């Protein structure tokens, strides 16, 4: 059976995303965001004993493993099977249980209302069709349940890094919205406007500390999938030097250290969305 070009285009983009997040060493990046952000997402949903929590785009399992450590029943979902394997090993090493499922945030393979709490930490913001994701998050969360999201803001450090590398590559297809928009309160309000949810927002920051700006840059260009893909493309075109210089200048602008090291705070938006009962 043939599929429409639009469906092919979406599937092709998901393949690119799968290979992007499988490249480099995402689990090493995740170690730098393993404390505050997952704790903020879990605080946003106020999970309690007996709750079944879904962690969407769990990656190497930061929020899922933290939730399991708190004694909650946890399912984690991600587009990339290799990352789920890392999450599985982490859960086993910590002696906690997490059910890990390969899948897409835009078409969650779960029944309506299957979860008491749904979280995502810097995860759903990378799926291309924002409205579809918001609708899916609400659908799988039971009435009276809640959704907690942690998203890099457009003007915070990582939002600015993403926007900078985005300038050097062709625009994404028209159906894809930029990830940093999920860090904008007005955008998130509009996505949930069609649903009966009560929203709260607050902002927090995640520290990134390295021996120098250059060390952070080298780590990111070798470990962080979205930057690796842009670097590979621009190296082939001979323009990576310009992009790298702009990124280094950005990192210096965010750096608070005055001893030659890199010490910056990256802002993120925390979203708490409670479904009415
Ligand atoms: C920045 S990582 C965040 C991972 C994890 N939540 C954490 O806190 O470390 C983004 C994750 O989103 C996943 N992802 C991207 N697009 C997705 C999609 N459409 N559906 C499910 N997961 C997706 C990637 O595979 C990756 O694991």
């Amino acid at each position: 059976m043939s599929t429409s070009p639009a469906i092919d285009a979406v599937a092709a983009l998901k393949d690119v995303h799968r290979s992007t997040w499988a490249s480099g060493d995402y689990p090493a990046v995740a170690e730098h965001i393993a404390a505050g952000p997952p704790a903020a997402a879990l605080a946003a949903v106020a999970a309690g004993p007996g709750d079944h929590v879904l962690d969407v785009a769990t990656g190497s399992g930061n929020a899922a493993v933290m939730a399991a450590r708190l004694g909650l029943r946890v399912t984690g979902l991600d587009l990339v099977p290799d990352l789920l394997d890392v999450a599985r090993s982490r859960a086993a090493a910590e002696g906690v249980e997490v059910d890990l499922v390969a899948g897409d945030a835009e078409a969650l393979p779960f029944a309506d209302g299957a979860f008491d709490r749904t979280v995502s930490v810097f995860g759903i913001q990378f799926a291309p069709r924002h409205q579809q994701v918001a609708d899916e998050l609400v659908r799988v969360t039971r009435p009276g349940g809640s959704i907690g999201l942690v998203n890099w803001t457009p003007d915070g450090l990582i939002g600015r890094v993403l926007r900078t590398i985005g300038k050097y590559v062709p625009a994404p297809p028209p159906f894809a919205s930029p990830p940093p928009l999920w860090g904008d309160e007005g955008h998130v309000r509009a996505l949930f406007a069609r649903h009966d949810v009560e929203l709260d927002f607050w902002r927090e920051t995640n520290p990134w500390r390295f021996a120098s700006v250059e060390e952070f840059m080298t780590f990111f260009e070798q470990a962080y999938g979205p930057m690796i893909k842009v670097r590979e493309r621009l190296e082939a075109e001979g323009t990576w030097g310009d992009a790298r210089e702009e990124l280094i200048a950005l990192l210096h602008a965010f750096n608070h250290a005055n001893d030659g090291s890199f010490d910056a705070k990256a802002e993120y938006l925390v979203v708490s969305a409670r479904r009415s009962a």
Side-chain angles (χ1 to χ4, degrees):
M1 200 176 81
S2 72
T3 54
S4 75
I7 292 172
D8 287 347
V10 173
L13 186 63
K14 296 293 166 67
D15 284 344
V16 170
H17 286 179
R18 207 172 281 108
S19 104
T20 297
W21 290 106
S23 67
D25 187 357
Y26 182 72
V29 176
E31 285 176 24
H32 292 267
I33 52 172
L42 292 170
V45 293
D51 280 345
H52 190 179
V53 179
L54 171 66
D55 180 20
V56 183
T58 189
S60 48
N62 273 355
V65 171
M66 184 181 278
R69 257 192 247 125
L70 295 172
L72 301 166
R73 197 171 139 218
V74 186
T75 298
L77 170 136
D78 202 275
L79 206 52
V80 178
D82 287 357
L83 291 176
L84 292 172
D85 287 344
V86 177
R88 209 166 273 121
S89 305
R90 285 179 72 190
E94 297 215 22
V96 294
E97 248 181 67
V98 179
D99 186 21
L100 291 155
V101 180
D104 185 345
E106 295 186 344
L108 293 169
F110 306 114
D112 296 1
F115 299 93
D116 302 294
R117 307 284 184 257
T118 302
V119 299
S120 187
V121 180
F122 312 127
I124 52 89
Q125 76 176 127
F126 292 97
R129 293 176 296 177
H130 294 191
Q131 188 62 61
Q132 200 149 321
V133 169
D135 295 348
E136 280 293 88
L137 294 173
V138 174
R139 183 185 66 75
V140 301
T141 307
R142 68 161 167 81
S146 53
I147 299 163
L149 306 174
V150 164
N151 301 320
W152 299 120
T153 56
D155 292 322
L157 170 65
I158 305 297
R160 290 288 301 280
V161 165
L162 291 168
R163 287 165 57 200
T164 301
I165 58 180
K167 285 193 316 191
Y168 286 85
V169 290
F175 61 81
S177 298
L181 271 183
W182 266 106
D184 177 86
E185 193 179 312
H187 181 72
V188 177
R189 278 191 192 285
L191 294 175
F192 285 105
R194 59 168 73 173
H195 297 290
D196 194 3
V197 295
E198 195 184 319
L199 291 168
D200 271 314
F201 299 91
W202 64 96
R203 283 157 197 268
E204 298 188 17
T205 59
N206 186 74
W208 292 87
R209 295 195 185 96
F210 282 76
S212 64
V213 163
E214 179 58 35
E215 192 188 89
F216 177 78
M217 184 68 211
T218 303
F219 172 69
F220 241 53
E221 70 188 347
Q222 290 173 0
Y224 188 61
M227 192 178 283
I228 292 168
K229 292 297 176 188
V230 172
R231 172 175 59 76
E232 288 173 350
R233 182 189 188 108
L234 299 187
E235 275 174 352
E237 292 169 2
T239 53
W240 173 240
D242 293 342
R244 196 177 195 280
E245 219 170 273
E246 190 174 344
L247 286 163
I248 294 272
L250 180 67
L251 298 179
H252 277 292
F254 274 88
N255 191 11
H256 296 298
N258 48 22
D259 60 358
S261 70
F262 179 66
D263 185 354
K265 291 181 181 12
E267 185 187 60
Y268 55 86
L269 181 70
V270 186
V271 181
S272 170
R274 293 173 302 285
R275 274 196 83 176
S276 24

